[in-house]
Amino acid sequence: MTETAATLIEKPRSQWRDVWIQFRTHGGALAGMVVFLTLIAFVTVGPLVWTVDPSYVNPDAARMIMTRNKPPSLDWPLGTDQLGRDMLARMMAGGRVSIAVGLVAMSIAIVLGTTVGVLAGLFKRLDGPLMRLTDLVLALPLLPLLLVMVFLFRDALGRALGSETGTFVLIVSAIGATSWMQAARIVRGEVLALKEREFVLAARSIGTPPRRMILRHILPNVISPVMVAATLGIASAIITESALSFLGLGFPPDFPTWGRLLFEGVDYMQLYPERVLWPGLAISLTVLSVNYIGDGLRDALDPRIRGR
Amino acid sequence: MLTFVIRRLLLAIPTLLLISLVIFLLVDLAPGSPMSEIPRTVPPEVRERMMQAMGANEPVVVRYLLWLRQFFLVEPAYVIDSLMGTNLAGGAQRVLSWQSRMPVFDIIAQRLPQTLTVIGSAYLVGVLIALPIGIYSAYRQYSWFDQLGTFVTMVGSSVPTFFTGVLLIIVFSVNLGWFPSIYDTTLEVTDWASFKMQIMQMALPVTMLALHNATEISRYMRSSMLENLGQDYVRTARAKGMSERVVVLKHVLRNSLIPVVTVIALGIPTIFGGAIIAEQVFKVNGLGTALIGAINASDLPTVQTLTFIFAVLIVFFNLVADILYGILDPRIRYD
């Protein structure tokens, strides 16, 4: 008897399935997801298919000059740059760095922001100082400060970690350290509301220690706004990195990123406009697709909209 | 209201002091600061004299306090002197650029007009484009105009400004040859021809920044209008026979402008950040270029002063936005 009843009851649907169903109905978000995954495939799988070294400069000077500034052809699908380096390979290598910067910087910002937000929301004593700190960082002029930070610490970190890793660590942590405030504010607001709910009271009354409280009860409940903030964070981190590279204060010259390629292309844009077009399009497409994904996620994760 | 303004003004002072400390220490303690860049071949006593000449041998606290005094007391005194012809400053030491040995504030005074003409008009144009678009797309929600507008704002806020700028140069300056791609700061507007030239060279940078600002503001305008269009007072206004024009442009618009005005005020300092990029793209010789140049020449006093001025702008416009909100919205009472 019980068995037949059990088979009649539909299997309970998981929350993430519901989210996915809602996400699917958002056309822009779905398109954004496809574009973003394609771009990721382009920069990760691409170099396995197109195995040209992005920094290969023909050692024979005469040959190098002959292969300079080539228009797109079968040998060089996107042409070559002023040193005869293959643009397609450089776009792939550059995209890998740009997207990696976006992902890592976003993770740093989210971890920092969530920590600050949870601590400020949960512990009254920390609330005042932490929120003042957030306001203070929000009042800092971020782009000038980032420029100054990169300029001042680039050489020292480059010496310690090697110029590429050093710059990567520097840029990623600088962007992360200057973009956690939004997440902190959102999380604090959520935590303040959650704190008044019965299940938190129940957990506290059975003597849950603060650490367990945060990990088991608070964090799973703030995950949806954090996810939305994280997606949008990738977009702004990619833009910031390429802006730094564009101003000449990003990665070293022989280390391509999309921003850097754009910066190099600007000198030749009168003659070879496609050289700024490709990296610029790639940055814009990535950011646009990530923004659309964030938009769709926001709708999908909002239980008031979901299921309507 | 007055007590609120005074309280906020007093609160701004410790904020500014802390920000100035952060900026000062960051620039000063960094491993790449020019103190460590003096070549090793320079004999120690010469090095000592160089440090002394730059005032770099004093402890950090002394230099920070000195800088504060110069920034908040000496420089305003010089400004008053030059305006009124008084002698308040009495020849006190000013903040000097290490690059040119010129007072940093003189450099700022030289560069500010260029930045303000380009940035200011770009922001104005941006707001003027954004408001009608936001109003109309909210009024006709889900119409083709609204759909197109939403898509364009999404694209506009995703495409980085430097790429828009470069695209504009390629299309309008390289291919079509309509506008110059480089902003000539030595141009003086004296007659009709030079005025036309000035408009021509401002066209591209202004378009680039205005497009970027317009996307953000029109999004706010639209959502604020939508919120108000669903309110009861709109139904009441329609029910008592107000024309559609009066309902939308008087009742709804006035109420929806409240949050938008504060957003516009809050956006003013961020456009100075955007100016750094715009000036780099179009080679405008303004504040942003001055900052980049100072960074590349490791000219610490200029970098510190410029960055701090950007911070002052942010704090000031935050305050303005708060006060505006209180004035415009009678429901908000700060006391």
Side-chain angles (χ1 to χ4, degrees), chain A residues 136 139-141 143-145 147-148 151-153 156 239 242-243 246-247 262 269 273 276-277 280-281 284 287-288 291-292, chain B residues 19 26-27 30-32 151 154-155 158-160 162-163 166-167 169-170 174 273 280-281 291 295 298 303 307 310-311 314:
Chain A
L136 181 79
L140 288 172
L143 187 61
L145 264 193
L147 292 172
V148 173
F151 172 73
L152 292 174
F153 292 93
I239 288 202
S242 40
F246 183 76
L247 294 173
L262 186 62
M269 97 191 140
V276 285
L277 220 57
L281 267 183
S284 313
V287 174
L288 187 65
N291 277 341
Y292 264 114
Chain B
I19 291 176
L26 176 74
V27 175
F151 179 69
M154 195 70 168
V155 173
S158 298
V159 178
F162 46 86
F163 184 48
V166 168
L167 267 188
I169 290 183
I170 290 180
V174 177
Q280 200 70 9
V281 174
L291 180 70
I295 288 176
S298 54
V303 173
T307 321
F310 285 129
I314 296 181

Side-chain angles (χ1 to χ4, degrees), chain B residues 71-204:
Chain B
F71 194 93
F72 285 106
L73 296 176
V74 177
E75 291 298 339
Y78 272 104
V79 172
I80 295 171
D81 283 356
S82 67
L83 287 179
M84 312 275 193
T86 51
N87 190 17
L88 284 174
Q93 171 82 50
R94 306 184 62 175
V95 185
L96 288 184
S97 153
W98 285 352
Q99 236 180 132
S100 56
R101 308 304 296 167
M102 224 173 121
V104 176
F105 277 78
D106 286 0
I107 300 179
I108 293 173
Q110 282 174 4
R111 302 295 185 92
L112 195 62
Q114 280 86 283
T115 303
L116 278 187
T117 9
V118 178
I119 305 298
S121 44
Y123 205 54
L124 205 68
V125 172
V127 170
L128 289 181
I129 301 174
L131 295 187
I133 292 180
I135 293 167
Y136 192 74
S137 44
Y139 184 61
R140 295 244 180 272
Q141 199 191 359
Y142 302 130
S143 66
W144 67 266
F145 183 85
D146 181 34
Q147 306 273 11
L148 186 75
T150 325
F151 179 69
V152 170
T153 50
M154 195 70 168
V155 173
S157 56
S158 298
V159 178
T161 42
F162 46 86
F163 184 48
T164 336
V166 168
L167 267 188
L168 285 174
I169 290 183
I170 290 180
V171 174
F172 291 104
S173 154
V174 177
N175 285 349
L176 296 172
W178 290 354
F179 303 106
S181 73
I182 291 178
Y183 187 94
D184 176 11
T185 28
T186 55
L187 182 76
E188 275 177 43
V189 180
T190 47
D191 52 357
W192 181 247
S194 62
F195 177 72
K196 205 178 145 207
M197 195 59 221
Q198 173 72 14
I199 296 292
M200 293 281 269
Q201 66 175 356
M202 273 173 68
L204 291 186

Side-chain angles (χ1 to χ4, degrees), chain B residues 232-295:
Chain B
D232 287 346
Y233 73 84
V234 180
R235 195 179 339 125
T236 313
R238 283 196 177 124
K240 68 180 184 184
M242 303 258 106
S243 71
E244 204 56 24
R245 213 186 140 80
V246 174
V247 171
V248 176
L249 292 186
K250 270 226 164 103
H251 292 80
V252 180
L253 179 60
R254 282 192 184 176
N255 281 308
S256 344
L257 270 180
I258 297 168
V260 177
V261 166
T262 60
V263 165
I264 292 174
L266 283 177
I268 293 176
T270 57
I271 58 170
F272 280 93
I276 297 177
I277 291 170
E279 290 180 358
Q280 200 70 9
V281 174
F282 293 98
K283 317 276 188 287
V284 185
N285 205 9
L287 282 183
T289 326
L291 180 70
I292 302 269
I295 288 176

Side-chain angles (χ1 to χ4, degrees), chain B residues 208-251:
Chain B
M208 159 188 154
L209 286 171
L211 277 182
H212 190 73
N213 297 327
T215 54
E216 309 246 308
I217 295 166
S218 76
R219 202 145 46 157
Y220 277 106
M221 188 71 230
R222 175 176 177 271
S223 64
S224 172
M225 279 291 281
L226 278 179
E227 204 168 291
N228 273 291
L229 275 170
Q231 299 270 334
D232 287 346
Y233 73 84
V234 180
R235 195 179 339 125
T236 313
R238 283 196 177 124
K240 68 180 184 184
M242 303 258 106
S243 71
E244 204 56 24
R245 213 186 140 80
V246 174
V247 171
V248 176
L249 292 186
K250 270 226 164 103
H251 292 80

